[in-house]
Amino acid sequence: MEHRIFFLMLGVIVTFCDVTSEETFRLKIGIVGTWTPVFDELLRTIGLSHPWRIYNITTAKPKSQYDKMLKVKDFLTDNQIDVILGPYDDATGIVADKLRVPYICTTGSKRNLNYTFQILPPLEDFSQAIFDMTKSYQWDKVSLFYDDLRGVYIMEQLLTNHDMMVKSWHVKGGSDIKAVEKQVRDHLVRMRQAFVQKSIIFCSKEHTEIILDQARSLAMLSQPSEWFFYDPGDQLVPVFKNFPDVFVNFTVFGLMEFDSRNEIASVDDSRRLNISLAADSLRLLNATLPKAVEVQRNEAAFTIAEELRKIRIPGYTGDIEFGPNGRRYNYTIKLSEIEGLDSLQVGVWRSHSNSLEDKIHFEEVKRLNRNYSFPLKGRTVSVVMILEKPFTMQKRDYMQRLGNDRFEGFAVDLITEVAKMLDFNFEIYLVHDGKFGTKKENGEWNGMIGELLAGNATMLVAPLSINSQREEAVDFTKPFMTRYISVLMRVPKSEQSYFEFLNPLHHNVWYCTFGAFMMVSVILYFLERFGIRQNKDYPTISLRESFWFVFGSLLQGNTDSSPSTLPGRILTSAWWFFALILISSYTANLAAFLTVKKINTPIKSVTDLASQTKIKYGTVKSSGIMFFFKNTNIEHFAKMWAQMSEVDPSSMVDSTDEGFKKVKDGNYAFFWDTTVNKYKTIEDCQFMEIGPHFDPKGFGIGVPPGAIYREDLSMAILKLSDTGMLHQLENKWWPSRSCPDLSKPSADETSELSIDSVAGVFFILLGGIALAGIVCGFEHFAKVVKKAAKTNKVVNILHTLVLVNRLLHQNSADFIFYVE
């Protein structure tokens, strides 16, 4: 019985000694900061090969860094800590180095401590990887977005490449999300204005998502833009899944293959990197324990540190190996391309290589092959326009309407057809300053181009001509319309007169006709007076009747008296021929004057403006047309620019409405697009367009520089042209003009008959007068001769009778009586 009790007590003592021996080799782990729950969870999941115990290293409100170090020292010595795990803490690292306790930290450290082992590669390596990639791609411009001091280090590294321009943008955090979004949007707009298409994002997940959201609203998530992200542990996976429709490469720098799955971290867990680093810490510790338990208890920490210096094992974050300074060595940073929901590892960066060719290795992989989709498909975009008839107009009851229904016009119909074809929605808004877009002295743009560059609009649709200066700022689609420059003027008022019937003949003709009437009437009287009448029964024509006869024959009327002498009839025939031609010409010209509206246009062509000063002329300030006149080398256009800009600057206007008002007031010519001028002449008959047209240019849809959807919009415009839709829209908004066509002959072309035109009639009349006078003179001479002959004959007879009387001795008195 006593023997049994002895052996039983001996067994208990041996068992107690065994338990005490196990407790002697129990690993004591100190956890830094708030990582205790992470390690507790992992230890329950994967465990260690030997017993362990966790101690949470805490320091109750130290007064100073020195005080904190003292408290950490007391904690480590009192609890005989063998190894420290968790994020790096400076006080803990210094104390651990002095006590020769291994410190496996999961974050970076700036100090080189002999007993601190960093699982997370230092920031210098990531910055070097990014720098090597920029040199490998031979970039000349790059943008860097950062939100903490780590980004400053990356920027300093990039600036060492003097062949590359670096634009850095600091994203300042805050509780006001709207303010952060506006800040990011301003950064992106300035980046686009600098034509930087490569961007590196070194920000938190929240700021990265804001940057990508704003970039998508600015249509910057399309080729040729490229985006590169610092993401060691797949923390950005949920962010990228919000952009499945983006057709552009997202390149990620990470320790793990992007979106890889393992047994310790879920795919969408934001703590994935921390869990992976903690798991690698335990994996390292587990590999050193066999050697640690073989030594004495007080040498376990030193043994673990020595084993860590020699170890090389695969981990969740890649191969793990430490260099002499305790930093991670001989590992790779993976480069993965992401398009939507697809990802592919395309290369690696090796930390242990010396040459750039060895550091950056691009794998021969099959690129992601995705079908291209229109970037704006299914989205609602902002379209900026300007009020310009008939392109964009507000409906009469626009105050009672909402959205796009407030507007109408050619540009509205055009973007509606394009949106239907490409399957996107749009919201129209008017440019705030009412300008088309010109570059200011400070290099910024105003008007619609300024709205486009500021990111407020996705595209602009307006009668905005494409020129070299605007093409440098934004991109344009294929032209949907060609415009020229023409002159718009007010139609001159027609001359109204109660004596319009006098206009067919020049006043000199009227004077000559009246003089001819007076002269013919008087001559006819004298011809009839001295001429020989063929019929004695015809009454003679008095002076009054002569005037009446000539006037009546001019108006093709009858009179009681008519010429009876040959000279009178010759003169009458000439007068009748004169009256026939004059009346016929007058009647024909009078018909034109009374049926065609008389318009006296002082300006027949554009060049006429340059040779006069009475009519002022100008165009809209800071418009494309103004820059045409300013930069032209054509002589008469350069002369007109000098007149507009220097001699009479008031002729320039601020808007088209002001220009139209000045035209309507009179004595003003307005240079503007033919499309707008033509519509104005259709809308208001008081306006007319003067040619010839000059300076042809196209109207195109404007998009931000580098926007990939420009080609889609251009193709849609070409299809609308091929199907005749553009022609239908033009006929809809530029119908036939109902006003009088001023291009047809007017009273200016049907001018009054001048004296030169009817001088021949007067010559015939004068010839008739001369002939009648000659005939009259001949008749008068013949009459005088005949009368003289007759008088001589009577005298001879009387002499004969006297001789006979004498011979017959008759009474002379009786003879004389007889003679009488």
Side-chain angles (χ1 to χ4, degrees), residues 58-327:
T58 58
T59 54
K61 297 181 179 181
K63 298 178 181 180
S64 62
Q65 183 74 356
Y66 179 74
D67 183 49
K68 182 177 181 180
M69 293 170 61
L70 290 177
K71 292 181 178 180
V72 170
K73 176 182 175 296
D74 294 340
F75 183 89
L76 296 180
T77 56
D78 293 344
N79 296 283
Q80 298 182 346
I81 301 298
D82 298 314
V83 62
I84 303 172
L85 304 179
Y88 178 78
D89 178 74
D90 196 43
T92 304
I94 295 174
V95 172
D97 194 67
K98 294 297 183 180
L99 298 178
R100 298 197 302 177
V101 176
Y103 183 4
I104 304 175
C105 63
T106 55
T107 58
S109 168
K110 294 182 180 181
R111 293 182 182 272
N112 291 325
L113 302 173
N114 293 328
Y115 287 86
T116 299
F117 302 88
Q118 303 177 30
I119 296 181
L120 181 66
L123 182 63
E124 292 88 340
D125 288 355
F126 276 99
S127 63
Q128 185 64 43
I130 295 173
F131 178 81
D132 291 341
M133 183 206 62
T134 60
K135 295 194 69 174
S136 177
Y137 284 140
Q138 296 181 347
W139 289 354
D140 58 349
K141 295 179 181 180
V142 66
S143 283
L144 173 65
F145 290 84
Y146 65 95
D147 56 5
D148 57 21
L149 293 178
R150 295 179 302 168
V152 177
Y153 185 86
I154 299 293
M155 178 181 63
E156 291 175 350
Q157 181 74 18
L158 293 175
L159 288 174
T160 60
N161 184 0
H162 301 294
D163 296 329
M164 181 175 64
M165 182 183 74
V166 180
K167 291 285 186 179
S168 60
W169 316 102
H170 183 203
V171 180
K172 299 178 181 178
S175 58
D176 190 353
I177 301 300
K178 295 294 184 181
V180 177
E181 290 178 348
K182 183 181 184 304
Q183 174 195 172
V184 169
R185 191 178 187 88
D186 293 340
H187 291 339
L188 290 171
V189 169
R190 287 196 291 270
M191 185 189 85
R192 185 168 63 185
Q193 292 174 346
F195 298 99
V196 181
Q197 298 172 338
K198 309 293 190 299
S199 301
I200 298 173
I201 310 300
F202 212 89
C203 297
S204 64
K205 182 178 69 174
E206 294 75 19
H207 287 165
T208 299
E209 188 167 10
I210 292 175
I211 291 173
L212 294 182
D213 278 336
Q214 296 301 316
R216 178 164 59 179
S217 68
L218 293 173
M220 296 176 68
L221 295 186
S222 58
Q223 296 177 352
S225 298
E226 297 183 33
W227 300 80
F228 297 81
F229 302 87
Y230 167 75
D231 185 24
D234 283 357
Q235 291 178 300
L236 298 182
V237 172
V239 175
F240 294 141
K241 288 188 176 181
N242 294 330
F243 301 89
D245 56 336
V246 175
F247 186 72
V248 64
N249 286 339
F250 289 158
T251 302
V252 177
F253 294 83
L255 287 174
M256 298 176 287
E257 185 177 350
F258 184 80
D259 201 15
S260 59
R261 299 173 182 270
N262 56 52
E263 68 274 15
I264 63 162
S266 61
V267 175
D268 296 329
D269 195 342
S270 60
R271 301 181 303 153
R272 182 175 183 183
L273 176 62
N274 293 344
I275 294 176
S276 299
L277 292 173
D280 283 345
S281 301
L282 295 179
R283 180 172 286 190
L284 285 170
L285 188 58
N286 206 27
T288 63
L289 287 181
K291 294 289 184 178
V293 298
E294 294 177 356
V295 298
Q296 296 182 3
R297 183 72 183 77
N298 58 353
E299 296 181 357
F302 177 78
T303 304
I304 293 174
E306 292 301 317
E307 290 298 314
L308 287 175
R309 301 185 199 280
K310 300 181 292 184
I311 201 168
R312 177 177 173 82
I313 62 172
Y316 294 107
T317 60
D319 294 340
I320 304 176
E321 181 179 1
F322 297 106
N325 56 0
R327 294 192 176 188

Side-chain angles (χ1 to χ4, degrees), residues 609-610 612 615-618 639-640 643-644 651 668-669 671:
L609 287 172
Q612 58 84 47
I615 299 178
K616 296 182 180 181
Y617 47 85
K639 180 180 178 181
M640 296 171 77
Q643 177 70 24
M644 288 186 287
S651 61
Y668 184 78
F671 286 98

